[in-house]
């Protein structure tokens, strides 16, 4: 019965998705809760109690459809960012928004530029929308290479992604450099600034993206409730841009793609500024400590502005990652990023980070023998 039918081979998928692999994470056996999960850039401090309370309360109303406009949340975001609700769109995580951007703006054959390694969905969403993804190398400091991107812009370029901080390297660009880049771009190109990890940055490094939007630069800022707000399981994010861009996105978006629970959870999370402060402070402190601890062990660490650290080992990281799982610690090895000695480690709670360091010492000690 389990034998695959030969007819399955003839499923008529679109040519543009033929080369894609599906994003299925760990096997169910590896998702057990008693592991230290430092492989998905999640927030190990958890969501705000106010968000949890809002989720529980909203469960009583799930027989109603959500508000497709998500007005209450967009107004709360207006209070947070000082940008009108008409310039904000909610999405089913920033993943959902990246797909939405692809379906709204990419015509077949349009080019989409970014640097690599970076968040893989930029490439897959472009292919699904029948665009042509062009991944350029990062610069020598593992940052998005603005000069390279500027040189690569051509008549077919439609979209350009800048991941700031970049996943997986944790690097950021100077705000002044991004602004100079935006000013010099030819008309008709949209720049998506993926700011999933912006809340973990040092305050003086955060780009003034909202003022750029108000100045009329063609920028879309992508934000998520998955990281600093600890709501990855709720699937909610938002984008901020000009009213014209947001209106275009709302034409394509599925009306009810953001659930009532997700909206209420996000409202609860936004109301709890104390929790936000606690998480950002703790991640910045632990980032410093973990960077120092890893460096002391002779590992190369790229200074990070996110809630993860990119580390280079002396040998290929897949064996190290595999051995760490035996100690119950999951980190992300980077074979798929074409940097086989590197791994990405989420910054967890002090206890989780201690578990990582202890396991790492055992694994590296064993391997050195
Ligand atoms: C750079 C970047 N953008 C977007 C996302 C997706 O976030 P969300 O959970 O909102 O879909 C991630 C998730 O890890 C990410 O690393």
């Amino acid at each position: 019965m389990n034998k695959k039918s030969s007819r399955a081979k003839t499923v008529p998928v679109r040519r543009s998705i033929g080369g894609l692999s599906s994003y299925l994470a760990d096997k169910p056996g590896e998702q057990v809760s008693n592991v230290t999960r430092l492989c998905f850039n999640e927030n190990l401090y958890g969501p705000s109690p106010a968000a949890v309370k809002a989720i529980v309360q909203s469960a009583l109303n799930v027989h109603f459809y959500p508000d497709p406009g998500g007005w209450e949340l967009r107004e709360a975001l207006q209070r947070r960012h000082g940008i009108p609700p008409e310039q904000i769109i909610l999405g089913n995580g920033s993943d959902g928004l990246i797909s939405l951007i692809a379906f709204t703006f990419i015509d077949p054959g349009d080019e989409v530029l970014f640097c690599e390694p970076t968040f893989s969905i930029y490439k897959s969403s472009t292919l699904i929308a029948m665009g042509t993804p062009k991944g350029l190398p990062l610069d020598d400091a593992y940052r998005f290479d603005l000069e390279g991107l500027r040189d690569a812009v051509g008549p077919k370029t439609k979209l350009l992604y800048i991941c700031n901080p970049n996943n997986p390297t944790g690097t950021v660009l100077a705000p002044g450099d991004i602004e100079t880049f935006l000013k010099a771009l030819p008309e008709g190109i949209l720049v998506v600034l993926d700011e999933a990890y912006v809340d973990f940055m040092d305050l003086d490094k955060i780009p003034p993206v909202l003022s750029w939007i108000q100045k009329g630069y063609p920028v879309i800022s992508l934000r998520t409730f998955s990281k600093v707000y600890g709501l990855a399981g709720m699937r909610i994010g938002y984008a901020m841009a000009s009213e014209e861009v947001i209106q275009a996105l709302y034409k394509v978006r599925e009306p009810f793609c953001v659930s009532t629970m997700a909206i209420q959870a996000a409202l609860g999370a936004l109301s709890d500024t104390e929790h936000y402060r606690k998480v950002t402070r703790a991640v910045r402190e632990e980032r410093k400590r973990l960077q120092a601890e890893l460096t002391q062990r002779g590992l190369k660490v790229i200074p990070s502005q996110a809630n993860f650290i990119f580390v280079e080992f002396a040998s290929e990281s897949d064996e190290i990652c595999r051995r760490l799982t035996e100690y119950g610690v999951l980190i992300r090895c980077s074979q798929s990023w074409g940097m086989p000695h590197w791994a990405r480690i989420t910054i967890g709670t002090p206890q989780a980070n201690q578990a990582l360091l202890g396991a790492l010492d055992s694994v590296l000690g064993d391997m050195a023998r």
Side-chain angles (χ1 to χ4, degrees):
M1 272 299 173
N2 278 337
K3 239 167 87 186
K4 273 197 189 145
S5 143
S6 60
R7 292 182 122 235
K9 289 186 192 134
T10 63
V11 171
V13 296
R14 285 168 36 207
R15 276 191 299 280
S16 63
I17 63 168
L20 290 180
S21 45
S22 62
Y23 188 95
L24 293 179
D26 306 339
K27 293 182 226 88
E30 289 172 358
Q31 286 180 343
V32 287
S33 54
N34 59 350
V35 293
T36 303
R37 250 165 81 118
L38 302 177
C39 51
F40 288 122
N41 301 343
E42 292 157 333
N43 175 351
L44 268 66
Y45 295 85
S48 148
V52 176
K53 192 169 161 207
I55 292 169
V56 173
Q57 280 174 351
S58 64
L60 297 171
N61 288 322
V62 291
H63 52 303
F64 295 121
Y65 282 105
D67 168 16
W71 284 101
E72 198 185 349
L73 178 55
R74 284 158 78 202
E75 280 162 9
L77 289 168
Q78 173 180 33
R79 290 191 289 280
R80 166 101 167 80
H81 294 296
I83 188 167
E86 291 75 14
Q87 290 186 246
I88 304 171
I89 185 167
L90 308 180
N92 186 14
S94 19
D95 276 354
L97 288 162
I98 293 167
S99 298
L100 180 64
I101 288 168
F103 283 124
T104 307
F105 296 112
I106 300 175
D107 278 312
D110 281 347
E111 263 174 21
V112 178
L113 306 183
F114 44 84
C115 290
E116 285 180 310
T118 192
F119 190 49
S120 62
I121 309 293
Y122 309 151
K123 183 174 182 177
S124 57
S125 61
T126 302
L127 288 169
I128 293 165
M130 300 183 64
T132 306
K134 252 193 165 178
L136 310 172
L138 298 172
D139 70 10
D140 292 343
Y142 305 94
R143 295 173 310 186
F144 263 55
D145 179 5
L146 290 178
E147 224 169 278
L149 286 167
R150 195 168 33 238
D151 292 347
V153 167
K156 289 190 172 170
T157 308
K158 176 69 74 68
L159 277 179
L160 206 148
Y161 278 92
I162 298 178
C163 192
N164 196 65
N166 183 40
N167 176 7
T169 53
T171 48
V172 295
L173 294 166
D177 293 345
I178 306 178
E179 185 162 9
T180 308
F181 175 82
L182 293 173
K183 275 188 193 158
L185 265 190
E187 279 218 8
I189 299 174
L190 276 175
V191 176
V192 183
L193 199 61
D194 187 341
E195 304 194 281
Y197 303 98
V198 70
D199 305 84
F200 303 113
M201 289 173 71
D202 298 336
L203 297 181
D204 59 333
K205 296 190 171 67
I206 296 177
V209 64
L210 296 168
S211 84
W212 294 344
I213 293 170
Q214 307 303 30
K215 279 186 195 168
Y217 294 143
V219 191
I220 304 177
S221 165
L222 271 187
R223 307 288 179 104
T224 178
F225 282 93
S226 297
K227 306 298 176 183
V228 75
Y229 295 110
L231 292 172
M234 292 309 295
R235 313 304 307 128
I236 179 160
Y238 57 103
M240 298 180 285
S242 70
E243 206 173 325
E244 294 75 24
V245 164
I246 297 298
Q247 271 176 12
L249 290 168
Y250 265 119
K251 283 187 197 169
V252 180
R253 203 197 73 155
E254 293 167 39
F256 301 114
C257 68
V258 183
S259 75
T260 305
M261 277 188 169
I263 291 172
Q264 291 307 318
L267 281 163
L270 280 178
S271 73
D272 190 350
T273 47
E274 190 42 49
H275 186 74
Y276 175 93
R277 257 186 244 122
K278 186 186 110 184
V279 170
T280 49
R281 200 182 308 127
V283 168
R284 288 193 187 107
E285 275 168 18
E286 280 299 293
R287 180 168 70 202
K288 218 161 142 192
R289 184 174 81 86
L290 205 51
Q291 280 179 178
E293 291 276 2
L294 293 168
T295 307
Q296 262 176 28
R297 285 161 173 79
L299 304 174
K300 179 171 171 182
V301 173
I302 299 178
S304 170
Q305 284 288 306
N307 71 337
F308 53 83
I309 298 180
F310 206 44
V311 188
E312 187 181 29
F313 293 98
S315 60
E316 297 206 349
S317 67
D318 61 345
E319 177 60 11
I320 295 165
C321 294
R322 193 192 62 72
R323 288 186 185 224
L324 281 174
T325 60
E326 290 167 10
Y327 290 86
V329 176
L330 308 184
I331 64 170
R332 173 79 194 267
C333 63
S334 66
Q335 253 67 8
S336 62
W337 293 312
M339 296 174 77
H341 283 220
W342 293 78
R344 190 192 65 199
I345 303 174
T346 306
I347 295 154
T349 56
Q351 299 88 306
N353 300 334
Q354 222 36 57
L356 163 83
L357 291 170
L360 199 56
D361 287 340
S362 304
V363 166
L364 295 179
D366 282 351
M367 288 174 78
R369 257 181 235 133

